[in-house]
Amino acid sequence: MVKEGLYLELLFVGLVLLVIMLVNNIFLYKRKLNDKISFMLFAGIAMSIFEITWTLFQRKTGAVVRATTYVAISGYCVAFLIFVALLNHYLVKNMGLKPKKRGIIIAYVIPIVVFGIFCASTPWTHLVMWVDANGVSNEGILFEVVFYVILFMYVFMPLFIAIYYLTIGKKRRRDDAKIGANLFVFGIMIPVLYIAQVLFIGEKGDDYLAVSLPVSIAIMYLVTNMSTHSVLDAKAKMEAVEADLRIATQIQTDALPPVAPEFADHPDINLRCSMDTAKEVGGDFYDYFELDENRICFLIADVSGKGTPAALFMMTAKTIIKDYAMIQSSTSEIFNAANARLSENNDAGMFATGWIGIVDTRTMMLQYTNAGHNFPIIKRRGKPCEEEANVHGFILAGFEDTQYKQAEIQLKPGDRLLLYTDGITEAHDINNELYGTERLMKKIDETAELKGEEVLQSVLDDVNNFAQGTPQFDDMTMVILSIKE
């Protein structure tokens, strides 16, 4: 006879722990209700409930009690078979093997169905179990012959799989040896716990003791370790992605020219740049370079989207625009050629807004083209800011045959031109109010006496103070051209 009080307490603890594990599996590890681990936990919970019911009604008499006992016995047996079927299939899949459907049907589905039919008929046939007049359950011939064979075969199967996994299987998947070690411990755990249960809870003469308690504890170990392994694996992958992003950020930074260029042959030109990305890699970019001894080209652009796709398109666009700038004679021709090239095979639908200018350092005549970008802000010496809005074309990579226009403005000593992306003006505060163009122009007026790099820092500080710590979702890039007095 079993020490029922202690045994029931242990069963109840196992049931509670399994329920907690199921809740964690769904809400903490974000697994679905219909995955194999969830099904195993459901089967383990069902085994515990049926065994608790079975034990509570043991040695009690009455028609209702007998019927309940038969249901509990049958439910326990079927739940156990479902559990071991799911368990073994899960272990085989984790080994990287791909069991065929026919093998699954023969090994698991047919035995479960057939044994389930025998369990359903056992109140009349007594093939699996039968309950005597004193309410004591007794083993039928199928239980002694068939169920014990299935029980020990499936209980020890994880151990055999683990041994294979750590020997022959390890050569195939060395990186998953940690899972193999966990499976090895799990394979030993069920039989060890079963033997311990018989030795410490059973009494002399007991020839049978159900295995739901060892199974409950063992499956908790398996689920915890597998889930922990999944979390650690996801963390490792995330760290690898972050490392790749850091490298991508460095590559993107290296691809951009210095923020404070000095043109030794053009002392009257002062050009300064800044870029603050919303993510590790961004879609904004700026560039500048000398076309010849008398002309300097500079530009700013904002690629659609964010992150890695935008950064890749940004690198392509930057290279193409610079290549065409070296061979075309005007800003409109540069953008015409670059747009046609960027529109080719653009299945991802990426596009960019851009502004490009070429300043002749002999005359300070600025030729420029705008491709859907924010209007530049021009600050004339002694006058308030205004937008330079004479030309505004379509985006780059929108339509292959788009033709862009160009315009010219005469710059004079003391004049200043600011280019910026919409991450500046569309920065928002906690009330979702935008920073806006008016605030930007006011800040440019207030900083008229500062150097170019000081103006950019002042604008960025003002935007951050305005946002009051609210996370921003767009890159903030600026280029400022100053003509020295």
Side-chain angles (χ1 to χ4, degrees):
M1 182 179 294
V2 176
K3 300 172 184 177
E4 294 180 2
L6 175 60
Y7 187 54
L8 278 172
E9 289 180 7
L10 293 175
L11 279 177
F12 181 75
V13 171
L15 173 62
V16 171
L17 291 176
L18 280 173
V19 171
I20 293 174
M21 185 60 64
L22 177 63
V23 172
N24 288 341
N25 191 57
I26 296 170
F27 295 101
L28 180 60
Y29 301 124
K30 305 299 181 183
R31 287 196 172 97
K32 297 181 180 179
L33 283 170
N34 59 351
D35 75 358
K36 287 185 177 61
I37 288 184
S38 295
F39 274 143
M40 276 193 282
L41 288 168
F42 277 122
I45 291 171
M47 288 171 59
S48 296
I49 292 174
F50 283 127
E51 189 170 5
I52 289 172
T53 304
W54 182 357
T55 305
L56 286 173
F57 283 84
Q58 186 81 293
R59 299 179 185 84
K60 293 181 174 61
T61 57
V64 175
V65 171
R66 286 170 59 85
T68 303
T69 302
Y70 275 121
V71 171
I73 293 171
S74 300
Y76 169 81
C77 293
V78 173
F80 177 80
L81 290 177
I82 292 174
F83 166 78
V84 294
L86 291 170
L87 171 65
N88 282 272
H89 186 260
Y90 177 80
L91 298 180
V92 169
K93 292 271 287 188
N94 272 277
M95 287 172 52
L97 303 178
K98 297 180 180 180
K100 296 180 179 181
K101 290 184 178 179
R102 181 181 296 180
I104 294 174
I105 292 174
I106 294 175
Y108 302 117
V109 177
I110 291 177
I112 291 175
V113 172
V114 172
F115 204 83
I117 293 173
F118 284 129
C119 286
S121 65
T122 198
W124 303 278
T125 62
H126 296 173
L127 289 174
V128 178
M129 280 280 189
W130 58 281
V131 182
D132 60 22
N134 297 320
V136 178
S137 57
N138 299 273
E139 300 169 4
I141 186 170
L142 283 183
F143 200 99
E144 293 178 345
V145 177
V146 179
F147 191 77
Y148 274 128
V149 173
I150 297 176
L151 184 150
F152 285 105
M153 182 177 68
Y154 284 134
V155 164
F156 282 94
M157 185 65 71
L159 179 59
F160 298 142
I161 293 176
I163 292 173
Y164 171 82
Y165 200 105
L166 290 172
T167 54
I168 301 174
K170 185 178 179 180
K171 297 178 181 178
R172 298 181 181 180
R173 298 181 64 186
R174 294 180 182 275
D175 57 327
D176 284 345
K178 190 172 183 179
I179 294 180
N182 290 332
L183 297 184
F184 184 80
V185 174
F186 174 76
I188 296 176
M189 184 174 290
I190 292 181
V192 168
L193 289 174
Y194 178 78
I195 294 171
Q197 177 179 270
V198 172
L199 292 175
F200 294 104
I201 302 179
E203 293 183 354
K204 186 176 180 180
D206 286 338
D207 61 348
Y208 165 76
L209 198 61
V211 296
S212 63
L213 182 59
V215 164
S216 300
I217 298 173
I219 192 177
M220 284 185 56
Y221 170 84
L222 177 68
V223 172
T224 301
N225 278 274
M226 289 297 183
S227 299
T228 301
H229 179 81
S230 298
V231 171
L232 294 175
D233 186 56
K235 182 181 179 182
K237 290 180 180 178
M238 182 63 69
E239 289 175 349
V241 170
E242 291 175 351
D244 289 343
L245 286 175
R246 285 194 295 269
I247 295 173
T249 302
Q250 188 61 49
I251 292 173
Q252 184 181 35
T253 302
D254 293 343
L256 295 174
V259 297
E262 295 295 341
F263 301 101
D265 298 331
H266 310 288
D268 295 333
I269 296 292
N270 182 269
L271 194 64
R272 293 293 184 266
C273 313
S274 72
M275 186 170 77
D276 187 57
T277 58
K279 294 187 176 182
E280 288 83 355
V281 289
D284 285 5
F285 68 93
Y286 63 85
D287 203 357
Y288 57 82
F289 40 85
E290 293 182 272
L291 297 175
D292 52 44
E293 60 183 7
N294 298 315
R295 296 185 304 155
I296 296 174
C297 179
F298 62 103
L299 61 101
I300 192 170
D302 184 359
V303 175
S304 61
K306 299 290 177 289
T308 303
L312 292 173
F313 192 82
M314 162 257 172
M315 296 288 285
T316 301
K318 177 181 177 297
T319 302
I320 289 175
I321 292 173
K322 185 173 184 178
D323 287 345
Y324 283 117
M326 303 305 294
I327 60 176
Q328 299 294 341
S329 59
S330 66
T331 55
S332 59
E333 291 175 347
I334 295 170
F335 269 6
N336 286 341
N339 173 73
R341 180 75 175 277
L342 290 170
S343 299
E344 294 176 358
N345 302 319
N346 186 20
D347 296 333
M350 301 291 290
F351 64 88
T353 65
W355 189 101
I356 186 170
I358 297 176
V359 59
D360 190 321
T361 58
R362 296 167 299 181
T363 63
M364 295 302 169
M365 182 64 73
L366 175 65
Q367 177 192 107
Y368 69 92
T369 296
N370 191 334
H373 200 74
N374 307 88
F375 294 125
I377 294 176
I378 185 167
K379 168 68 175 173
R380 298 286 188 180
R381 181 182 179 185
K383 295 182 180 180
C385 289
E386 59 183 5
E387 289 186 307
E388 182 59 36
N390 291 334
V391 176
H392 196 264
F394 197 58
I395 57 175
L396 295 168
F399 296 105
E400 186 174 355
D401 57 354
T402 300
Q403 296 297 305
Y404 296 92
K405 298 179 180 181
Q406 64 188 43
E408 293 182 342
I409 54 175
Q410 180 65 57
L411 298 177
K412 298 179 181 180
D415 289 349
R416 179 168 281 170
L417 185 75
L418 177 72
L419 312 177
Y420 62 94
T421 59
D422 55 15
I424 297 292
T425 52
E426 293 182 4
H428 59 278
D429 62 6
I430 56 177
N431 298 317
N432 213 30
E433 181 182 352
L434 299 181
Y435 183 77
T437 306
E438 291 185 5
R439 281 191 179 87
L440 178 58
M441 294 174 69
K442 181 180 179 182
K443 177 54 64 174
I444 299 301
D445 284 332
E446 293 174 353
T447 56
E449 302 303 321
L450 299 180
K451 296 179 181 179
E453 60 269 25
E454 295 173 340
V455 174
L456 298 184
Q457 187 60 53
S458 180
V459 170
L460 189 59
D461 290 343
D462 194 50
V463 171
N464 290 331
N465 290 334
F466 169 81
Q468 299 179 24
T470 305
Q472 302 302 307
F473 301 98
D474 205 353
D475 306 329
M476 294 185 286
T477 304
M478 294 179 285
V479 176
I480 189 166
L481 174 71
S482 303
I483 308 300
K484 294 182 180 179
E485 299 183 25

